[in-house]
Amino acid sequence: MQQKSLTIALAGNPNSGKTTLFNNITGTRQKVGNWPGVTVEKKEGIIHKHGYNLKIIDLPGTYSLTPFSIEEIVARNFILEECPDVVIDIIDSSNLERSLYLATQLRELDCCKVLFALNMADLARSRGIQIDADKLSELLDVPVVFTIGNKNQGIDILLKKAIELGESNAVVPQSRRVKYSQDIEHSIAQLQNFIEEKKNNIFLYNTRWAAIKLLEDDKIIKERILQKVGNSGHEILQQAQLQRKYLIDRFNDDPEIVMTDERYGFIVGIIKEVMTTSTRQRVDISRNIDLILTNRFLGFPIFIFFIWAMFQMTFSLGAYPMQWIDSGINLFSASLDGLLPNSLLKNLLLDGIVAGVGSVIIFLPNILILFFCIAIFEDTGYMARAAFLMDKIMHLIGLHGKSFIPMLMGFGCNVPAIMATRTLESEKDRILTILITPFMSCSAKLPIYIILAGTFFSAKAGTVIFAIYFIGILTAILSGRLFRSTLLKGVDAPFVMELPPYRVPMIKSLLIHMWDRSKMFLKKMGGVILIGSIIIWTLSAFPRNITYSTDYESQIKKVKANYLTEFTTGNENTKDSIEKKRDAAISKILMAQKAEKIEKSYMGKIGKAFEPLFSPIGIDWRGSVALLSGFVAKEIVVSTLGILYATEAEVESDALKKALLASNMTSSAALSMMVFVILYLPCLATVSTIRRETGSLKWTLFSMGYSTLIAWGVAFLIYQGCRMMGLG
Ligand code: GDP
Ligand code: MG
């Protein structure tokens, strides 16, 4: 028997529990991708229930359907153009007033059947909020179901009602909806009639809604009308202009603002009808917490403390599993070493792949912890407070506090950070934030600072690293100002900082959020790193037949011969020390040989070719190669330095420190290198994320070029400045 199908879309405010409900409904049968053309996450799943094929779509979270942000445009377009059979609006019952704005807009849209899920029913109850669902259902003429998403309650009823609604012949458009004041209703009616006349039967939308949008001067709808209706489209737009002018005269304000106010008035009315709050439990916990956490004097120090604690956790707690993984990798490569016969393939496997990929996997614990902390900030509602606190400072750059969230995440990894800019409403704000986020030093760069600062500024290493981070932040701020006043001029979009209520986070949702981000990180980095390691290794291992400047073989033979004579003539007690002396001499020769081999490899040649570019900032050919390899992933810089200085490629091994000290690198060169590292070209994964999120090759190239030029310039000033002051 052919099964019947229904498409059900889930709409709702961010954090209203959409994804929770979606996951509960679809279980594991879900597909995650992006909406065609834009990078807003699209989740869909198909399930078979009650004799139906149900296609469930998790729409992006939005507060309204006015096209300010990509999320809003996507959600609206989906409903308008794909016409799902049923739209379920997930309402946060503990926050009814805010949720109803979207709900009333959905009712106004009137192009599909709508059903309300009053989610977070438990939270509402515990706050003493009572909602009269029958009354709400009657007032807005929609079915209403209570649900508790995280406890899987009410979901079956919700689905049944959705199917029932989908199959019913409820009329769309329905009659009960937002009513505006007389003047506005008059203009709506006039324009609606005009559209009806001119639409040539090819009009897509509900005409009342189209009239409202035209009065609001909605650009997308205007464009659509021109596309679809052709010449009469122009007439419609002209008529809309006339009506708008009339309304502006009447109200001395933008019709959009007047209508928004009236909608809120309508909502306040509904709230009065359907919601009662028991006074005893009125004490709003969130407000009390906010008295401290967003306090004018305390808020900022507390915030700095949380950030400090986050980094502290990330690095100190991460150190233990890091050691375990490290010894695991060492064990693995030692056993491979024993198992495989000597060959080029073995070298590739051990020195290239295991060493390269291993150097990234080591950072997994840090990344998990960092993302776990960020998930806590988000799920408790503190992240919004952080944005609120930073709002003033961000205005210096011409951005909102909201942009601060991606920048903060940039300290972890720029890939999810840049993806987090999706929450920004204005396109220009997004691009600006994307351009400056890479100056936030990501965690992968930290090992480089640890090595360089530890080696050359041992006593003051902490301060130096802090200064490096500071240079990054300062560059971000200055660049932000520069872009705001040149390339990305714009007015701040009207915007209210949402302060959602505090919530005790659920451990399961924290883990899911953490894993979602880390998984993406692993997947992207894993692939790129694997390929990068193979390339770096290949470049350092070829060409094979090098003519060495010295005959290392015969040197070794000589050492061995010396040893034999010493050994046979020496006494029993000195044998150990003679053996040690021999091994030290041989390894010294082998290191010299390895160093020369690398210098003559393709990698050495590339480094030498780039040396003229880097020598003004105090970096020799080895540093050049390391920095170039950092394009693949910043973690590789340290392991490349390890390979080039002919030592073990271990992050904190003393061998690399000794080799660096013995080399001709000076402390001002080390400083210059660190500055260059924090500012230059982001890694490949970040670049491809920038490409995807800006949707523009131009901005991607600009970001790469700009950061590298700035890096070179600042490093030059610092290096030459230090030298002029005689600082080595
Ligand atoms: P989305 O942004 O709309 O997708 O929201 P999520 O599904 O990510 O949910 C946000 C948070 O609310 C998560 O921590 C959920 O566990 C929690 N949550 C979802 N539904 C309920 C509910 O009915 N009651 C309570 N107390 N929490 C819920
Ligand atoms: Mg979600």
Side-chain angles (χ1 to χ4, degrees):
M1 194 183 81
Q2 181 84 31
Q3 277 197 323
K4 287 186 271 188
S5 316
L6 282 177
T7 309
I8 301 175
L10 307 181
N13 293 0
N15 276 319
S16 59
K18 281 188 313 318
T19 307
T20 311
L21 282 179
F22 176 83
N23 289 342
N24 279 337
I25 295 175
T26 58
T28 50
R29 279 149 296 188
Q30 36 183 292
K31 226 171 58 195
V32 182
N34 276 329
W35 301 86
V38 283
T39 48
V40 172
E41 193 168 87
K42 177 180 193 169
K43 277 192 174 168
E44 59 179 63
I46 293 180
I47 53 158
H48 312 285
K49 257 234 164 105
H50 308 302
Y52 282 82
N53 277 325
L54 300 175
K55 184 169 172 191
I56 318 279
I57 288 127
D58 187 11
L59 290 177
T62 63
Y63 292 108
S64 80
L65 294 177
T66 38
F68 276 139
S69 70
I70 295 184
E71 278 86 359
E72 287 161 342
I73 296 174
V74 166
R76 194 175 85 175
N77 277 356
F78 185 85
I79 296 171
L80 278 175
E81 325 242 309
E82 311 280 323
C83 298
D85 298 298
V86 175
V87 175
I88 301 181
D89 181 14
I90 317 283
I91 288 177
D92 175 355
S93 327
S94 65
N95 229 310
L96 193 59
E97 185 163 352
R98 194 178 59 192
S99 311
L100 279 181
Y101 194 70
L102 179 68
T104 47
Q105 290 211 319
L106 277 171
R107 278 297 280 104
E108 252 191 320
L109 196 57
D110 251 4
C111 72
C112 54
K113 297 169 183 167
V114 179
L115 167 67
F116 287 178
L118 285 172
N119 196 32
M120 312 241 174
D122 55 331
L123 266 188
R125 203 171 311 135
S126 72
R127 289 203 192 140
I129 300 170
Q130 272 160 355
I131 299 172
D132 185 343
D134 295 338
K135 195 74 165 279
L136 182 64
S137 165
E138 191 189 317
L139 283 176
L140 284 169
D141 200 9
V142 293
V144 174
V145 179
F146 280 111
T147 57
I148 305 178
N150 54 350
K151 303 217 180 78
N152 214 348
Q153 284 179 23
I155 289 167
D156 224 40
I157 305 177
L158 184 70
L159 273 187
K160 280 201 186 117
K161 284 255 179 191
I163 294 172
E164 211 174 279
L165 182 66
E167 286 296 328
S168 75
N169 21 11
V171 218
V172 175
Q174 288 141 313
S175 54
R176 275 173 241 176
R177 48 191 160 207
V178 189
K179 284 270 179 292
Y180 298 95
S181 55
Q182 236 182 354
D183 286 306
I184 293 183
E185 282 295 339
H186 175 80
S187 286
I188 294 175
Q190 294 254 313
L191 191 53
Q192 189 181 359
N193 287 341
F194 193 82
I195 295 172
E196 291 283 354
E197 239 171 68
K198 297 285 177 187
K199 69 179 186 177
N200 301 334
N201 290 330
I202 39 175
F203 211 65
L204 280 175
Y205 317 124
N206 159 351
T207 46
R208 176 182 159 93
W209 185 78
I212 292 172
K213 289 298 125 180
L214 286 179
L215 290 179
E216 288 179 348
D217 208 26
D218 185 314
K219 297 212 167 47
I220 296 181
I221 299 301
K222 276 162 59 179
E223 272 168 29
R224 276 301 143 81
I225 289 179
L226 285 183
Q227 276 170 18
K228 303 252 170 191
V229 199
N231 266 346
S232 354
H234 285 288
E235 288 177 53
I236 292 176
L237 296 196
Q238 264 166 16
Q239 178 68 16
Q241 265 333 99
L242 283 179
Q243 294 294 346
R244 267 177 63 77
K245 238 169 111 191
Y246 165 76
L247 288 178
I248 292 171
D249 271 358
R250 226 39 214 92
F251 291 97
N252 201 9
D253 212 340
D254 211 57
E256 188 190 339
I257 294 171
V258 179
M259 288 158 98
T260 305
D261 282 350
E262 293 191 359
R263 262 177 227 138
Y264 273 116
F266 178 78
I267 290 167
V268 171
I270 297 178
I271 298 270
K272 279 228 173 73
E273 292 282 330
V274 305
M275 196 173 101
T276 45
T277 317
S278 59
T279 37
R280 212 165 47 82
Q281 281 167 302
R282 271 287 273 288
V283 198
D284 197 339
I285 304 167
S286 284
R287 206 164 296 166
N288 281 339
I289 300 178
D290 269 343
L291 281 182
I292 301 170
L293 291 189
T294 60
N295 179 283
R296 237 178 348 141
F297 304 106
L298 290 178
F300 213 71
I302 293 176
F303 168 64
I304 300 279
F305 170 77
F306 281 152
I307 299 298
W308 174 84
M310 174 175 85
F311 280 115
Q312 199 58 30
M313 282 254 292
T314 303
F315 296 112
S316 55
L317 217 60
Y320 301 100
M322 197 169 181
Q323 273 167 9
W324 306 332
I325 296 179
D326 192 24
S327 22
I329 292 172
N330 285 342
L331 202 70
F332 177 67
S333 83
S335 51
L336 266 188
D337 195 16
L339 277 174
L340 300 174
N342 272 336
S343 69
L344 204 56
L345 195 69
K346 175 176 168 177
N347 286 350
L348 168 68
L349 212 60
L350 285 181
D351 302 343
I353 296 175
V354 176
V357 175
S359 74
V360 182
I361 289 182
I362 268 189
F363 291 100
L364 183 64
N366 305 56
I367 286 158
L368 287 176
I369 296 172
L370 191 72
F371 285 144
F372 189 73
C373 292
I374 289 177
I376 292 182
F377 286 162
E378 285 184 324
D379 283 16
T380 52
Y382 185 70
M383 199 64 135
R385 271 74 187 182
F388 178 79
L389 286 169
M390 288 302 291
D391 200 43
K392 273 215 184 67
I393 296 178
M394 295 303 288
H395 273 292
L396 288 178
I397 324 181
L399 283 173
H400 289 295
K402 253 190 181 177
S403 291
F404 177 69
I405 294 172
M407 289 173 69
L408 180 63
M409 291 176 60
F411 284 127
C413 170
N414 280 314
V415 172
I418 285 169
M419 293 177 68
T421 60
R422 290 176 184 185
T423 52
L424 300 177
E425 273 147 32
S426 122
E427 174 85 17
K428 279 184 180 165
D429 288 2
R430 290 187 59 211
I431 291 184
L432 183 47
T433 310
I434 288 174
L435 288 178
I436 62 179
T437 297
F439 293 130
M440 303 288 110
S441 184
C442 74
S443 58
K445 292 176 181 175
L446 193 65
I448 311 173
Y449 310 143
I450 292 178
I451 281 288
L452 290 176
T455 307
F456 292 96
F457 302 91
S458 49
K460 301 190 206 83
T463 319
V464 168
I465 294 179
F466 184 78
I468 298 290
Y469 272 83
F470 185 74
I471 289 178
I473 296 169
L474 198 66
T475 309
I477 293 178
L478 294 177
S479 305
R481 287 223 58 150
L482 178 72
F483 296 150
R484 191 43 120 194
S485 52
T486 52
L487 295 170
L488 292 162
K489 270 190 204 150
V491 267
D492 299 351
F495 153 72
V496 186
M497 189 65 77
E498 293 286 346
L499 293 184
Y502 286 104
R503 258 188 216 131
V504 179
M506 305 228 322
I507 190 79
K508 191 174 146 203
S509 122
L510 289 178
L511 291 177
I512 290 175
H513 278 158
M514 171 187 86
W515 182 239
D516 263 358
R517 295 215 172 97
S518 312
K519 193 174 58 183
M520 181 182 64
F521 178 91
L522 265 188
K523 214 160 59 184
K524 287 208 179 88
M525 301 300 265
V528 164
I529 298 243
L530 181 66
I531 296 166
S533 309
I534 294 175
I535 294 175
I536 300 276
W537 176 84
T538 312
L539 289 177
S540 70
F542 288 91
R544 299 297 289 174
N545 45 355
I546 297 170
T547 39
Y548 289 109
S549 58
T550 337
D551 187 356
Y552 295 107
E553 297 297 317
S554 61
Q555 273 186 14
I556 291 177
K557 265 185 207 141
K558 215 183 285 165
V559 170
K560 282 185 179 162
N562 273 350
Y563 156 77
L564 268 183
T565 47
E566 269 188 57
F567 191 76
T568 41
T569 55
N571 64 40
E572 216 37 60
N573 293 333
T574 52
K575 273 181 184 162
D576 262 6
S577 75
I578 296 172
E579 224 163 76
K580 263 195 196 124
K581 216 171 83 188
R582 174 200 62 173
D583 289 347
I586 291 181
S587 93
K588 205 168 157 193
I589 297 168
L590 284 176
M591 293 237 290
Q593 182 181 21
K594 195 172 168 194
E596 190 180 341
K597 188 174 137 217
I598 288 179
E599 192 167 352
K600 291 190 170 160
S601 71
Y602 290 121
M603 183 136 85
K605 288 188 181 129
I606 295 174
K608 293 232 154 111
F610 277 90
E611 199 172 18
L613 274 178
F614 286 103
S615 63
I617 58 172
I619 292 170
D620 69 356
W621 66 270
R622 295 187 186 88
S624 314
V625 176
L627 291 174
L628 289 175
S629 72
F631 176 50
V632 177
K634 303 298 169 191
E635 290 92 341
I636 298 184
V637 173
V638 168
S639 50
T640 310
L641 282 177
I643 295 174
L644 290 177
Y645 282 97
T647 63
E648 294 302 316
E650 264 174 55
V651 176
E652 263 149 342
S653 77
D654 278 348
L656 180 52
K657 276 189 185 174
K658 281 186 198 131
L660 283 171
L661 280 176
S663 76
N664 52 5
M665 194 183 246
T666 61
S667 47
S668 36
L671 200 58
S672 150
M673 183 145 172
M674 284 188 272
V675 170
F676 192 81
V677 164
I678 192 176
L679 299 178
Y680 86 123
L681 190 69
C683 70
L684 199 55
T686 303
V687 166
S688 72
T689 311
I690 294 178
R691 172 74 234 270
R692 252 183 329 126
E693 297 294 317
T694 58
S696 135
L697 187 62
K698 196 186 75 186
W699 283 120
T700 314
L701 293 177
F702 177 78
S703 167
M704 295 167 73
Y706 176 79
S707 52
T708 309
L709 274 180
I710 289 284
W712 196 91
V714 177
F716 181 80
L717 289 180
I718 285 184
Y719 178 64
Q720 300 295 350
C722 284
R723 295 221 320 174
M724 250 151 44
M725 288 188 291
L727 296 177

